[in-house]
Amino acid sequence: MKRNCGFPNPLEPGKFGLNGLSSLSLYNSRWASNRDVVELVLAGKYDHLTPVFSEFIPTLRCPFRCSTCPYKIPKEQAGMLEMGIEDACDYLDRLAEGGCQAILLTGGGEPTMHPQLGQIVRYIKSHGFSVSMSTNGTFAGGDFEPEEVIEYGFTNVRISIDTIKEHASFHGYDKNEVDWCEIVIENIGRITKIKRNAETKLTICIIFDQRNYQELIELGDEIARFKGINLILIRPVIDYFGSDQVPECIIKEVKELVEIKLRPTVAKSGIAVFLPEYRQISLGSVQRQYSECRACGLIGGVWPDGRMFICTETNGFDDFCIGDLSRQTLREIYSSSRYQEVRRNVGMNCFAQCPVTCRPMTLNMIFNQIEEFRSQADASQLEEWVRALQNQHIRPCPWIQA
C-alpha cells in the first residue's frame, strides 16, 4: 500500500494529495528544481544559500515620483545613481562566476531609462543568463526599444500601470506635459504586435488604491484589446515602510469587481487574471507566518553602485547592505562576516522593519514548515516529498520567487 497518493502539495512539506498540477503549484515548487538549493535546505544550511537570480538595478532615474515608492528614501540620499557600462559588465561577470543563473532588470528607477540598456542586455545574454524585466513601460531615454524584449527572448516582462484617467495624480507628474499612460499603452501594442507565439510571458500589473480602483474595468477593457498578453496581475499599492495601506473595504470591493466584471471580460481574449492572496487584505491584518528569514540568500539585489543588499525589498538601505560587487566576488560577499551579521539582525531586531509582503515570503513560509516537519517527522518522508517536487520540473528554473 502506498504511503503517499496524488501530487505533492508544494505549500505543505511532506504532504501529498493534489489531484493535478496547476501553474501555481509548479511556481511554488520551482526552488526544488535546483539541486544545490535542495541539498542545502535538506541539511538546514540556509546561511550557505547564494543567489539563484538577482535583481539588477542599472539606474535610479525615473519619470515618475510615486509617493509610495519603496526606494524613495535611498534615492533621495543617493541622488541619480547610474551604472557605467563597464561597471555593469563587471557586476554581471561576478554574478555569473558566483553561480547566479538569471537577471531581473528592475528599478530603483526605471531600467529602460538607462542610456545603454541595450548593451547591458546583450552582455547578460552572452553569459547565458535567463533575463526578465519589471518596468513601468515608458521605454524613455535609452537605446532599448519595446520590441527588443521579444527579440532577445526575455523570459517575462511585467509592465505596471494604474489608470487611463488620473494617471498624473497617481504617479506625481504633470499629465499636461507628457501623457505617459498613452505612451505605455502604445508600447504594449508594439510588444504584442510582434509577440505572436514567442515564449516571452507578458504580464500587465494593475496597481490600485482608493484613487483609481473604480477604473479597473475600463483599464481591463483597454488591455484586453491586445493579443499576446498572458496575465493581468491585480495588486494594491503597498506602502512598504509605512502604515498608510489600502483600506480592506476597498480591497474587498476590488475583488468583487474582478470576479464579476473584469475576469469574464478579459477571459474572452485568453488573458488570465490573478489576485495574489496575500495582497488581498490590508497589511495591518497580515501576520508573518514564519519565525526567521531563511530564504534571503536566494535572491540578490544589486544597486547601481554595485552594492548588494540582503533582500530585494531592502535595496538601497544601508543597514541591509551585505557587500560590494565592485570590490568583492559574489562568493566573498555571501561568506563574509558582514553578510552573516546582517542576516542575524534580520532574523532578530531588524525583522520588524521588513515588509510583510516581501518577495521571499512564500519561500520563508515553506522553509519554516520544513524545519517544523524535520523536528517532528521521518526525514525520509521529507526527502520523498522534495523528490516529488523535483519530478515536476524538466529542468532547473531560476525564477524561484519572481
Side-chain angles (χ1 to χ4, degrees):
M1 182 175 180
K2 288 185 177 181
R3 179 174 58 182
N4 296 312
C5 299
F7 293 96
N9 186 335
L11 297 178
E12 295 188 55
K15 301 291 182 65
F16 290 73
L18 294 184
N19 293 325
L21 297 176
S22 67
S23 58
L24 192 58
S25 66
L26 288 170
Y27 176 78
N28 286 318
S29 62
R30 285 177 178 177
W31 68 273
S33 72
N34 293 268
R35 295 191 177 278
D36 291 344
V37 173
V38 167
E39 183 178 338
L40 291 171
V41 168
L42 287 178
K45 296 181 178 180
Y46 300 98
D47 58 338
H48 286 59
L49 294 171
T50 56
V52 176
F53 83 86
S54 182
E55 287 194 353
F56 199 76
I57 300 173
T59 182
L60 296 187
R61 288 198 290 164
C62 184
F64 303 154
R65 295 295 181 268
C66 302
S67 59
T68 54
C69 176
Y71 302 116
K72 183 178 180 180
I73 295 174
K75 281 172 67 171
E76 289 174 350
Q77 295 172 343
M80 289 297 103
L81 282 178
E82 192 162 81
M83 288 182 187
I85 186 66
E86 291 184 2
D87 289 335
C89 293
D90 286 343
Y91 304 155
L92 290 163
D93 287 343
R94 296 193 173 198
L95 288 170
E97 290 164 1
C100 186
Q101 302 165 35
I103 298 296
L104 174 61
L105 293 165
T106 185
E110 162 53 35
T112 63
M113 290 194 76
H114 191 286
Q116 297 169 300
L117 185 66
Q119 293 183 51
I120 292 174
V121 170
R122 286 190 285 276
Y123 199 78
I124 290 172
K125 295 299 291 184
S126 74
H127 267 302
F129 283 116
S130 177
V131 59
S132 293
M133 180 164 62
S134 291
T135 171
N136 60 31
T138 53
F139 289 85
D143 66 343
F144 195 75
E145 299 296 329
E147 293 86 352
E148 291 184 273
V149 299
I150 305 299
E151 294 167 1
Y152 281 108
F154 277 51
T155 300
N156 183 60
V157 177
R158 189 176 78 184
I159 298 177
S160 295
I161 194 169
D162 49 58
T163 175
I164 54 177
K165 289 184 179 179
E166 300 299 330
H167 193 72
S169 63
F170 192 94
H171 272 140
Y173 63 84
D174 184 358
K175 186 174 181 178
N176 293 322
E177 183 179 336
V178 180
D179 187 351
W180 283 113
C181 188
E182 182 178 339
I183 292 172
V184 172
I185 293 295
E186 179 184 337
N187 287 336
I188 291 173
R190 290 174 61 181
I191 294 172
T192 56
K193 186 176 181 179
I194 72 164
K195 187 172 183 290
R196 299 185 200 83
N197 297 319
E199 294 185 0
T200 299
K201 183 177 180 180
L202 180 58
T203 299
I204 306 299
C205 181
I206 302 179
I207 308 168
F208 73 88
D209 66 5
Q210 48 268 44
R211 291 170 287 184
N212 71 319
Y213 76 98
Q214 293 179 325
E215 299 171 31
L216 283 174
I217 306 306
E218 188 172 353
L219 183 55
D221 288 342
E222 180 74 15
I223 293 171
R225 68 185 177 89
F226 295 109
K227 305 299 182 183
I229 293 173
N230 301 91
L231 174 69
I232 294 178
L233 181 65
I234 312 289
R235 290 175 50 180
V237 171
I238 301 294
D239 186 353
Y240 280 94
F241 299 97
S243 58
D244 187 19
Q245 309 300 341
V246 179
E248 289 186 41
C249 61
I250 299 294
I251 295 179
K252 181 179 179 181
E253 189 171 345
V254 165
K255 187 175 181 181
E256 292 174 355
L257 282 172
V258 169
E259 295 300 329
I260 296 172
K261 295 184 178 181
L262 180 61
R263 195 188 301 274
T265 299
V266 301
K268 298 175 184 177
S269 300
I271 304 173
V273 178
F274 182 54
L275 289 84
E277 183 177 350
Y278 64 89
R279 292 180 184 267
Q280 290 182 29
I281 56 177
S282 168
L283 283 185
S285 302
V286 175
Q287 299 296 318
R288 190 175 278 109
Q289 299 180 50
Y290 47 92
S291 59
E292 181 182 339
C293 185
R294 298 180 173 91
C296 55
L298 286 171
I299 307 171
V302 183
W303 202 239
D305 59 7
R307 289 183 299 157
M308 291 199 73
F309 295 84
I310 197 164
C311 175
T312 59
E313 309 294 352
T314 62
N315 287 338
F317 288 86
D318 291 341
D319 288 346
F320 297 91
C321 179
I322 58 173
D324 189 338
L325 275 180
S326 69
R327 297 183 290 104
Q328 300 168 281
T329 66
L330 191 68
R331 294 292 179 180
E332 286 172 344
I333 291 173
Y334 280 84
S335 62
S336 69
S337 59
R338 173 63 182 174
Y339 169 65
Q340 296 302 337
E341 176 190 358
V342 175
R343 188 177 179 278
R344 285 193 299 271
N345 285 338
V346 167
M348 296 169 60
N349 59 314
C350 289
F351 200 42
Q353 299 177 29
C354 298
V356 176
T357 59
C358 62
R359 190 186 295 278
M361 183 193 75
T362 303
L363 281 174
N364 276 322
M365 292 168 60
I366 295 169
F367 292 168
N368 190 79
Q369 291 182 77
I370 285 176
E371 291 310 301
E372 292 179 352
F373 189 94
R374 191 201 309 277
S375 65
Q376 301 170 5
D378 183 357
S380 63
Q381 188 173 348
L382 182 62
E383 292 174 2
E384 180 182 354
W385 173 78
V386 171
R387 283 197 300 272
L389 293 180
Q390 290 176 322
N391 291 337
Q392 298 178 22
H393 300 274
I394 299 174
R395 61 182 65 88
C397 179
W399 303 108
I400 50 177
Q401 283 288 291

